Amino acid sequence: MLRNRRGQMNTGEQSPVSTHHESTQEDDRLSEGDSQSLNGTSAQHDQGIYSPNNEAQSTAFFLLVVLLSFSTRLYKIMEPPHVCWDETHFGKMGSYYINRTFFFDVHPPLGKMLIGLAGYMTGYDGTYPFLKPGDKYEHHNYWGMRGFCASLGSCLPPFAYLTVLELSQSPTAALITAAVLAFDTGCITISQYILLDPILMFFIMGAVLSMVKFNRQRYRPFSAPWWFWLVLTGVNLSGALGVKFVGLFVILLVGMNTAWDLWSLLGDLHLSLIDFGKHVLSRVFGLILLPLFLYVTIFAVHFVVLNKSGPGDGFFSSAFQSRLIGNNLHNASMPEYLAYGSIITVKNLRIAGGYLHSHWHLYPEGVGAKQQQVTAYLHKDYNNMWLVHRSNDSDAQSGEPDLVRHGDIIQLEHKETTRNLHSHLHEAPLTKKHFQVTGYGINGTGDPNDLWQVEVCGGRKGDLVKVLRSKVRFLHRATGCVLYSSGKTLPKWGWEQVEITCSPYLKETPNSQWNIEDHINAKLPNISLSVLKPHFLEILLESHIVMIRGNSGLKPKDNEMNSKPWHWPINYQGLRFSGVNETEYRVYLLGNPVIWWLNLVSLGLYVVIVAVASLALRRGVQLDKRRIEHCRVLMEGGGLLLLGWLLHYVPFYTMGRILYYHHYFPAMLFSSMLTGITLDTLLQSADLWLRPPYSHWLLRGGQAMLFLAILDSFYMFHPLSYGMRGPLAHDPDSTMAGLKWMDSWEF
């Protein structure tokens, strides 16, 4: 029995929400006006049991969602038959796994490993170079990698459907959510290419769905389904973090949900402290230890598979490189002690600090003295080679060469250009409180500003300089500063290499410490370097330091397309995936504007509705059982989704790294689910405004108009995802004529 808006008993037709079944105990607890049920202290849904009709309807809706989702993502999966946007990175990295070639990326390895595995399992041989966007795939087999990403992306609408169904017990709310995601052009586009995003979002949605399913098992603790959903939540958490560090946000969401769940259990006086301890330990196992173990296992597999030297070697320490087959340090031998007359490479001990490097290019006008550039370069290169000379240029020419010792004064001559490592009182290019370092002189002839004192960190006068193992500082004799890698990236005139300075601050840090890596001197005996190979925990820690520093070093480049977080919810600007002009096949990543703006409006509506409901309850307004259920869904289910949206969106405002439009898509999943719950609740409240049967007509009419708007907008904007040719949008003959609703859109 339900009360209508005049407070009379309404025995007429029930809304679909009113057919949701709770347990008998819950029926007894949910008396009219019982606002305690909103706090979750007395009324909880037990198992979400449906009537046969409702269950059949939900099943039919779910199958429809699966069909629509897979068909929209797999349609035209082979087009365009060329490299699009970041496929040049992640397709190439998939090839590296197939070829077992070591590389560096700022993200954890799971996503690239799965892409490589998908390619390998579908016949791709790993030989395509993925050089740049627009390159034709020709005879190379790329459909497996695209199809794998599209398949995971196709799971997002069904996962969202099941999640919202669990939170709201409303098939209509779940169907609205699924339709929003299934027909969003942005979600379709980002799922159809060889990218990390669909893999990341698959694990995020898997974690959220598993968490919600686990919450539904609260009255069946330690049962098989309870353990299944707990463990599956942990597995998905490790998967999300294993693809991108953005997975930390969903870990935080699950952690906050778990903390609240345990706090509620602690307040249950019927639960003994021993049983409460079992709950804590089970969650520690399922949500901390298991994900941590799986995450570490991902890296173990990563290091085992990528055992050959590749383009990522230079980002890592000399000891790390010694484990890679084909690296010059792998099973290598070289002279143990540094000597005059040796040819060496000098590597900074700061992770990703680079090799001491120079080249023929000069510093530009206005940047210190216009002398030869000295930088740090992250890759092995011939221009990293230096000759070690005495300060008086009197190297021994015969017999055993003299060894370099702690406190010696030396010159370093660049092998290729024959200029000496030099510093002076001009300020450094980027770090203004440091001095500039240049290449100066010719054929080893320079001036007193070329002299450097070698100091072994922790050493005493006369100690020998050990190759690879000694930490060395180079103290500039004329100014008293030390050779320093700032970690800052130079502009294009410096080839975007790392700035080298001479720091007047003498505190020992990895930035001012170096080791001798390559060492060539035919007059000295060699020793084996096999003793340098690090153990697993060392390389695990180093790889994370490199990734974190690599992420923080991703700054916007000149004329590079990037966006700001406030752009994203309003769909301000998209991304070109393929093509620019009217003769090219164009794909443009842009969310369906009707859907994205509907999500934005729904966020505002949600806040207003919850505020009104809270005020009504605070003032003791009598609510019928259905209204109480609506409030519970909005505050508990909707609150969880709003928290998920905030956690996946707000942190980007604090990030210093370069940001792109696609970073918003995990947050968009949560806003879409919140849209389903909000709009369904709003439509189900039609009887607040009209009496039956008019309220029922308004409900059905509103639902029909909503779905028609979503379908019609998809039809209008689908060329963004599936490709456009011919005139651009400003031309009346264009397929997108009249649809460029914002000047910032570029299609």
Side-chain angles (χ1 to χ4, degrees):
M1 300 288 285
L2 305 176
R3 290 187 184 272
N4 62 21
R5 59 193 173 111
R6 294 186 178 181
Q8 298 170 335
M9 300 305 292
N10 181 7
T11 58
E13 183 176 359
Q14 289 182 317
S15 166
V17 174
S18 66
T19 62
H20 299 157
H21 287 244
E22 294 86 19
S23 64
T24 303
Q25 289 179 333
E26 187 174 347
D27 286 338
D28 295 337
R29 292 195 302 264
L30 273 174
S31 59
E32 293 180 3
D34 183 8
S35 61
Q36 282 187 340
S37 63
L38 296 173
N39 299 323
T41 58
S42 57
Q44 298 286 348
H45 279 294
D46 189 5
Q47 300 301 323
I49 303 171
Y50 304 111
S51 65
N53 289 339
N54 229 11
E55 190 171 359
Q57 182 189 50
S58 299
T59 303
F61 282 173
F62 178 73
L63 293 176
L64 176 64
V65 168
V66 171
L67 176 64
L68 289 174
S69 185
F70 275 84
S71 60
T72 53
R73 270 79 178 158
L74 295 176
Y75 176 63
K76 298 182 74 172
I77 193 67
M78 300 288 285
E79 296 184 20
H82 59 247
V83 178
C84 293
W85 195 51
D86 270 358
E87 284 188 327
T88 186
H89 298 304
F90 302 119
K92 184 185 298 181
M93 292 171 188
S95 298
Y96 284 145
Y97 277 104
I98 293 173
N99 297 315
R100 308 192 68 175
T101 302
F102 186 78
F103 66 94
F104 164 69
D105 186 42
V106 297
H107 306 299
L110 180 59
K112 285 93 65 179
M113 289 172 62
L114 293 175
I115 288 171
L117 179 63
Y120 178 77
M121 296 295 289
T122 53
Y124 171 59
D125 58 7
T127 58
Y128 186 71
F130 288 95
L131 292 178
K132 64 183 185 301
D135 287 352
K136 299 289 185 182
Y137 281 114
E138 297 176 342
H139 64 279
H140 291 276
N141 186 343
Y142 63 96
W143 69 267
M145 292 182 285
R146 277 193 183 174
F148 169 74
C149 293
S151 296
L152 295 191
S154 299
C155 294
L156 301 179
F159 282 6
Y161 177 90
L162 294 174
T163 300
V164 172
L165 189 62
E166 288 291 341
L167 291 174
S168 69
Q169 297 297 291
S170 170
T172 307
L175 187 61
I176 292 172
T177 293
V180 163
L181 290 176
F183 294 114
D184 177 56
T185 51
C187 284
I188 292 171
T189 304
I190 209 165
S191 297
Q192 287 193 306
Y193 298 92
I194 306 171
L195 303 171
L196 297 185
D197 301 272
I199 308 174
L200 170 68
M201 291 190 289
F202 171 84
F203 284 115
I204 289 175
M205 282 302 304
V208 173
L209 175 59
S210 301
M211 175 187 69
V212 171
K213 288 280 191 180
F214 173 73
N215 289 343
R216 305 290 295 177
Q217 303 296 322
R218 66 188 63 184
Y219 295 117
R220 302 169 61 189
F222 308 110
S223 63
W226 187 92
W227 277 110
F228 174 79
W229 291 114
L230 175 65
V231 169
L232 193 59
T233 304
V235 170
N236 281 295
L237 291 179
S238 64
L241 186 60
V243 176
K244 280 188 176 183
F245 287 127
V246 171
L248 286 169
F249 300 151
V250 75
I251 290 175
L252 185 57
L253 176 65
V254 172
M256 295 173 73
N257 176 80
T258 303
W260 177 253
D261 186 30
L262 290 174
W263 181 253
S264 300
L265 288 173
L266 186 61
D268 184 356
L269 300 182
H270 298 290
L271 190 69
S272 69
L273 288 179
I274 293 177
D275 288 337
F276 177 75
K278 292 179 181 178
H279 276 278
V280 173
L281 291 176
S282 64
R283 286 160 175 79
V284 168
F285 167 76
L287 301 179
I288 298 177
L289 297 181
L290 177 63
L292 184 61
F293 170 77
L294 294 175
Y295 182 74
V296 171
T297 301
I298 290 168
F299 277 88
V301 175
H302 169 73
F303 294 134
V304 168
V305 173
L306 301 185
N307 63 350
K308 297 180 181 178
S309 178
D313 294 15
F315 289 88
F316 293 82
S317 67
S318 305
F320 187 102
Q321 295 178 43
S322 68
R323 53 177 292 278
L324 298 172
I325 299 171
N327 188 283
N328 62 312
L329 299 179
H330 179 73
N331 292 337
S333 59
M334 63 178 61
E336 182 176 10
Y337 298 107
L338 180 63
Y340 294 103
S342 295
I343 300 173
I344 62 172
T345 61
V346 185
K347 185 175 176 62
N348 189 253
L349 292 186
R350 179 187 186 273
I351 300 297
Y355 295 93
L356 187 64
H357 177 95
S358 189
H359 39 235
W360 289 103
H361 303 278
L362 306 181
Y363 286 101
E365 195 72 42
V367 181
K370 195 174 182 181
Q371 297 176 4
Q372 185 168 293
Q373 296 177 19
V374 173
T375 65
Y377 189 47
L378 296 175
H379 305 279
K380 292 181 179 293
D381 187 86
Y382 185 75
N383 279 326
N384 300 341
M385 297 287 187
W386 299 82
L387 281 165
V388 183
H389 294 300
R390 290 183 184 275
S391 58
N392 57 10
D393 199 26
S394 58
D395 296 350
Q397 300 297 317
S398 60
E400 291 293 326
D402 287 343
L403 301 179
V404 178
R405 300 175 183 273
H406 176 90
D408 283 5
I409 309 300
I410 67 169
Q411 287 181 334
L412 290 176
E413 177 192 332
H414 189 240
K415 182 79 165 56
E416 173 67 10
T417 63
T418 72
R419 290 195 169 96
N420 295 331
L421 186 69
H422 176 99
S423 187
H424 44 221
L425 295 178
H426 293 273
E427 66 181 18
L430 303 179
T431 310
K432 299 302 183 182
K433 293 184 178 181
H434 290 194
F435 302 135
Q436 183 187 32
V437 176
T438 68
Y440 179 76
I442 192 71
N443 292 324
T445 301
D447 65 20
N449 280 334
D450 302 340
L451 301 181
W452 301 82
Q453 182 172 327
V454 179
E455 295 183 345
V456 178
C457 297
R460 295 174 296 180
K461 187 171 179 63
D463 285 352
L464 298 175
V465 179
K466 296 180 179 179
V467 173
L468 291 170
R469 286 174 287 179
S470 290
K471 297 179 181 179
V472 176
R473 294 199 314 166
F474 295 97
L475 181 69
H476 191 240
R477 291 291 292 172
T479 63
C481 58
V482 292
L483 192 66
Y484 189 92
S485 174
S486 71
K488 298 177 182 178
T489 302
L490 293 168
K492 283 190 175 181
W493 58 256
W495 304 94
E496 296 176 352
Q497 295 174 12
V498 178
E499 180 193 39
I500 289 292
T501 70
C502 199
S503 170
Y505 308 104
L506 302 185
K507 181 180 178 181
E508 289 188 1
T509 68
N511 300 66
S512 62
Q513 295 174 338
W514 306 78
N515 72 326
I516 312 304
E517 184 170 290
D518 296 288
H519 185 208
I520 302 171
N521 194 318
K523 298 180 179 180
L524 292 174
N526 293 334
I527 63 164
S528 173
L529 302 182
S530 59
V531 296
L532 294 175
K533 290 183 180 179
H535 56 70
F536 174 71
L537 291 180
E538 288 178 321
I539 62 178
L540 180 67
L541 177 61
E542 180 174 342
S543 64
H544 278 78
I545 295 174
V546 172
M547 285 188 293
I548 291 169
R549 288 183 176 168
N551 259 304
S552 62
L554 292 175
K555 305 297 182 183
K557 299 175 183 177
D558 294 341
N559 301 319
E560 185 175 13
M561 181 63 66
N562 61 85
S563 60
K564 300 184 184 301
W566 68 266
H567 291 172
W568 305 338
I570 63 175
N571 216 23
Y572 179 77
Q573 190 176 44
L575 267 173
R576 289 196 185 103
F577 264 42
S578 173
V580 177
N581 57 53
E582 59 186 36
T583 63
E584 297 175 321
Y585 189 97
R586 302 187 303 280
V587 175
Y588 190 67
L589 176 67
L590 184 73
N592 182 329
V594 172
I595 288 174
W596 282 55
W597 295 340
L598 184 65
N599 281 349
L600 194 59
V601 170
S602 296
L603 279 170
L605 282 174
Y606 172 80
V607 174
V608 171
I609 293 172
V610 169
V612 171
S614 299
L615 286 173
L617 290 169
R618 192 68 176 171
R619 294 297 299 171
V621 176
Q622 292 296 309
L623 299 176
D624 59 46
K625 185 176 176 180
R626 184 163 68 98
R627 297 280 179 253
I628 290 177
E629 173 61 11
H630 285 172
C631 292
R632 187 200 67 81
V633 168
L634 280 171
M635 292 182 180
E636 293 182 5
L640 181 68
L641 297 176
L642 179 64
L643 178 62
W645 179 78
L646 291 170
L647 289 175
H648 285 79
Y649 176 54
V650 174
F652 285 102
Y653 281 93
T654 66
M655 294 185 185
R657 59 153 290 170
I658 187 171
L659 298 173
Y660 299 104
Y661 174 62
H662 70 96
H663 287 135
Y664 182 67
F665 278 84
M668 187 265 183
L669 297 175
F670 289 92
S671 68
S672 297
M673 290 188 284
L674 187 59
T675 294
I677 288 179
T678 302
L679 295 184
D680 180 61
T681 302
L682 194 63
L683 291 171
Q684 296 289 354
S685 301
D687 60 338
L688 287 173
W689 317 107
L690 296 173
R691 295 181 179 180
Y694 306 109
S695 61
H696 180 71
W697 297 349
L698 179 61
L699 168 65
R700 297 307 179 198
Q703 291 172 343
M705 289 180 62
L706 177 61
F707 287 117
L708 284 175
I710 292 172
L711 286 170
D712 184 57
S713 62
F714 170 70
Y715 176 76
M716 287 191 297
F717 287 96
H718 78 274
L720 295 175
S721 297
Y722 299 127
M724 305 167 280
R725 291 187 186 274
L728 302 179
H730 63 268
D731 193 311
D733 296 327
S734 170
T735 57
M736 302 300 292
L739 296 177
K740 194 172 184 289
W741 296 347
M742 295 183 72
D743 292 336
S744 51
W745 295 349
E746 300 169 307
F747 54 77

PDB file of all heavy atoms in Angstrom, residues 596-609:
ATOM      1  N   TRP A 596      26.870  13.362 -22.847  1.00  0.00           N
ATOM      2  CA  TRP A 596      27.782  13.976 -21.884  1.00  0.00           C
ATOM      3  C   TRP A 596      27.123  15.150 -21.158  1.00  0.00           C
ATOM      4  O   TRP A 596      27.326  15.346 -19.963  1.00  0.00           O
ATOM      5  CB  TRP A 596      29.072  14.416 -22.584  1.00  0.00           C
ATOM      6  CG  TRP A 596      29.990  13.262 -22.837  1.00  0.00           C
ATOM      7  CD1 TRP A 596      29.691  12.106 -23.511  1.00  0.00           C
ATOM      8  CD2 TRP A 596      31.344  13.123 -22.406  1.00  0.00           C
ATOM      9  NE1 TRP A 596      30.775  11.264 -23.534  1.00  0.00           N
ATOM     10  CE2 TRP A 596      31.807  11.861 -22.871  1.00  0.00           C
ATOM     11  CE3 TRP A 596      32.209  13.930 -21.696  1.00  0.00           C
ATOM     12  CZ2 TRP A 596      33.094  11.405 -22.625  1.00  0.00           C
ATOM     13  CZ3 TRP A 596      33.513  13.482 -21.462  1.00  0.00           C
ATOM     14  CH2 TRP A 596      33.939  12.226 -21.921  1.00  0.00           C
ATOM     15  N   TRP A 597      26.342  15.933 -21.874  1.00  0.00           N
ATOM     16  CA  TRP A 597      25.661  17.048 -21.216  1.00  0.00           C
ATOM     17  C   TRP A 597      24.521  16.538 -20.339  1.00  0.00           C
ATOM     18  O   TRP A 597      24.207  17.156 -19.318  1.00  0.00           O
ATOM     19  CB  TRP A 597      25.177  18.041 -22.264  1.00  0.00           C
ATOM     20  CG  TRP A 597      26.340  18.697 -22.989  1.00  0.00           C
ATOM     21  CD1 TRP A 597      27.635  18.779 -22.554  1.00  0.00           C
ATOM     22  CD2 TRP A 597      26.311  19.324 -24.265  1.00  0.00           C
ATOM     23  NE1 TRP A 597      28.421  19.415 -23.482  1.00  0.00           N
ATOM     24  CE2 TRP A 597      27.641  19.778 -24.551  1.00  0.00           C
ATOM     25  CE3 TRP A 597      25.334  19.562 -25.221  1.00  0.00           C
ATOM     26  CZ2 TRP A 597      27.976  20.444 -25.722  1.00  0.00           C
ATOM     27  CZ3 TRP A 597      25.665  20.231 -26.396  1.00  0.00           C
ATOM     28  CH2 TRP A 597      26.973  20.668 -26.636  1.00  0.00           C
ATOM     29  N   LEU A 598      23.915  15.420 -20.741  1.00  0.00           N
ATOM     30  CA  LEU A 598      22.909  14.792 -19.883  1.00  0.00           C
ATOM     31  C   LEU A 598      23.548  14.316 -18.580  1.00  0.00           C
ATOM     32  O   LEU A 598      22.975  14.461 -17.495  1.00  0.00           O
ATOM     33  CB  LEU A 598      22.260  13.614 -20.617  1.00  0.00           C
ATOM     34  CG  LEU A 598      21.122  12.894 -19.894  1.00  0.00           C
ATOM     35  CD1 LEU A 598      19.924  13.817 -19.712  1.00  0.00           C
ATOM     36  CD2 LEU A 598      20.711  11.644 -20.672  1.00  0.00           C
ATOM     37  N   ASN A 599      24.745  13.746 -18.671  1.00  0.00           N
ATOM     38  CA  ASN A 599      25.478  13.343 -17.466  1.00  0.00           C
ATOM     39  C   ASN A 599      25.761  14.537 -16.564  1.00  0.00           C
ATOM     40  O   ASN A 599      25.651  14.454 -15.333  1.00  0.00           O
ATOM     41  CB  ASN A 599      26.801  12.677 -17.849  1.00  0.00           C
ATOM     42  CG  ASN A 599      26.628  11.238 -18.293  1.00  0.00           C
ATOM     43  OD1 ASN A 599      25.564  10.651 -18.134  1.00  0.00           O
ATOM     44  ND2 ASN A 599      27.673  10.663 -18.854  1.00  0.00           N
ATOM     45  N   LEU A 600      26.143  15.649 -17.177  1.00  0.00           N
ATOM     46  CA  LEU A 600      26.465  16.846 -16.401  1.00  0.00           C
ATOM     47  C   LEU A 600      25.219  17.386 -15.694  1.00  0.00           C
ATOM     48  O   LEU A 600      25.267  17.738 -14.512  1.00  0.00           O
ATOM     49  CB  LEU A 600      27.068  17.911 -17.329  1.00  0.00           C
ATOM     50  CG  LEU A 600      27.757  19.101 -16.682  1.00  0.00           C
ATOM     51  CD1 LEU A 600      28.915  18.652 -15.804  1.00  0.00           C
ATOM     52  CD2 LEU A 600      28.237  20.074 -17.744  1.00  0.00           C
ATOM     53  N   VAL A 601      24.102  17.428 -16.419  1.00  0.00           N
ATOM     54  CA  VAL A 601      22.844  17.881 -15.822  1.00  0.00           C
ATOM     55  C   VAL A 601      22.420  16.940 -14.698  1.00  0.00           C
ATOM     56  O   VAL A 601      21.943  17.367 -13.643  1.00  0.00           O
ATOM     57  CB  VAL A 601      21.749  17.984 -16.898  1.00  0.00           C
ATOM     58  CG1 VAL A 601      20.377  18.212 -16.263  1.00  0.00           C
ATOM     59  CG2 VAL A 601      22.061  19.111 -17.878  1.00  0.00           C
ATOM     60  N   SER A 602      22.608  15.635 -14.919  1.00  0.00           N
ATOM     61  CA  SER A 602      22.203  14.649 -13.914  1.00  0.00           C
ATOM     62  C   SER A 602      23.005  14.790 -12.625  1.00  0.00           C
ATOM     63  O   SER A 602      22.476  14.558 -11.536  1.00  0.00           O
ATOM     64  CB  SER A 602      22.357  13.236 -14.478  1.00  0.00           C
ATOM     65  OG  SER A 602      21.480  13.033 -15.569  1.00  0.00           O
ATOM     66  N   LEU A 603      24.285  15.161 -12.752  1.00  0.00           N
ATOM     67  CA  LEU A 603      25.075  15.407 -11.541  1.00  0.00           C
ATOM     68  C   LEU A 603      24.448  16.516 -10.699  1.00  0.00           C
ATOM     69  O   LEU A 603      24.325  16.404  -9.473  1.00  0.00           O
ATOM     70  CB  LEU A 603      26.514  15.788 -11.920  1.00  0.00           C
ATOM     71  CG  LEU A 603      27.469  14.651 -12.265  1.00  0.00           C
ATOM     72  CD1 LEU A 603      28.761  15.212 -12.862  1.00  0.00           C
ATOM     73  CD2 LEU A 603      27.798  13.826 -11.037  1.00  0.00           C
ATOM     74  N   GLY A 604      24.050  17.598 -11.370  1.00  0.00           N
ATOM     75  CA  GLY A 604      23.399  18.689 -10.654  1.00  0.00           C
ATOM     76  C   GLY A 604      22.054  18.276 -10.079  1.00  0.00           C
ATOM     77  O   GLY A 604      21.719  18.607  -8.935  1.00  0.00           O
ATOM     78  N   LEU A 605      21.270  17.532 -10.867  1.00  0.00           N
ATOM     79  CA  LEU A 605      19.969  17.059 -10.398  1.00  0.00           C
ATOM     80  C   LEU A 605      20.123  16.153  -9.181  1.00  0.00           C
ATOM     81  O   LEU A 605      19.326  16.222  -8.231  1.00  0.00           O
ATOM     82  CB  LEU A 605      19.248  16.302 -11.516  1.00  0.00           C
ATOM     83  CG  LEU A 605      18.582  17.141 -12.603  1.00  0.00           C
ATOM     84  CD1 LEU A 605      18.042  16.238 -13.710  1.00  0.00           C
ATOM     85  CD2 LEU A 605      17.467  18.001 -12.027  1.00  0.00           C
ATOM     86  N   TYR A 606      21.142  15.308  -9.225  1.00  0.00           N
ATOM     87  CA  TYR A 606      21.352  14.388  -8.105  1.00  0.00           C
ATOM     88  C   TYR A 606      21.570  15.163  -6.804  1.00  0.00           C
ATOM     89  O   TYR A 606      20.964  14.854  -5.778  1.00  0.00           O
ATOM     90  CB  TYR A 606      22.552  13.480  -8.385  1.00  0.00           C
ATOM     91  CG  TYR A 606      22.934  12.635  -7.192  1.00  0.00           C
ATOM     92  CD1 TYR A 606      22.237  11.477  -6.892  1.00  0.00           C
ATOM     93  CD2 TYR A 606      23.981  13.016  -6.350  1.00  0.00           C
ATOM     94  CE1 TYR A 606      22.557  10.711  -5.781  1.00  0.00           C
ATOM     95  CE2 TYR A 606      24.308  12.263  -5.244  1.00  0.00           C
ATOM     96  CZ  TYR A 606      23.600  11.106  -4.966  1.00  0.00           C
ATOM     97  OH  TYR A 606      23.920  10.356  -3.855  1.00  0.00           O
ATOM     98  N   VAL A 607      22.418  16.171  -6.867  1.00  0.00           N
ATOM     99  CA  VAL A 607      22.700  16.964  -5.660  1.00  0.00           C
ATOM    100  C   VAL A 607      21.422  17.635  -5.155  1.00  0.00           C
ATOM    101  O   VAL A 607      21.134  17.632  -3.951  1.00  0.00           O
ATOM    102  CB  VAL A 607      23.791  18.013  -5.961  1.00  0.00           C
ATOM    103  CG1 VAL A 607      23.985  18.938  -4.773  1.00  0.00           C
ATOM    104  CG2 VAL A 607      25.105  17.319  -6.308  1.00  0.00           C
ATOM    105  N   VAL A 608      20.618  18.191  -6.078  1.00  0.00           N
ATOM    106  CA  VAL A 608      19.388  18.874  -5.685  1.00  0.00           C
ATOM    107  C   VAL A 608      18.392  17.892  -5.070  1.00  0.00           C
ATOM    108  O   VAL A 608      17.798  18.156  -4.012  1.00  0.00           O
ATOM    109  CB  VAL A 608      18.762  19.586  -6.904  1.00  0.00           C
ATOM    110  CG1 VAL A 608      17.375  20.120  -6.553  1.00  0.00           C
ATOM    111  CG2 VAL A 608      19.657  20.724  -7.375  1.00  0.00           C
ATOM    112  N   ILE A 609      18.194  16.736  -5.727  1.00  0.00           N
ATOM    113  CA  ILE A 609      17.214  15.760  -5.245  1.00  0.00           C
ATOM    114  C   ILE A 609      17.603  15.239  -3.864  1.00  0.00           C
ATOM    115  O   ILE A 609      16.763  15.123  -2.963  1.00  0.00           O
ATOM    116  CB  ILE A 609      17.078  14.598  -6.251  1.00  0.00           C
ATOM    117  CG1 ILE A 609      16.464  15.102  -7.556  1.00  0.00           C
ATOM    118  CG2 ILE A 609      16.215  13.484  -5.672  1.00  0.00           C
ATOM    119  CD1 ILE A 609      16.467  14.069  -8.667  1.00  0.00           C
TER     120      ILE A 609
END
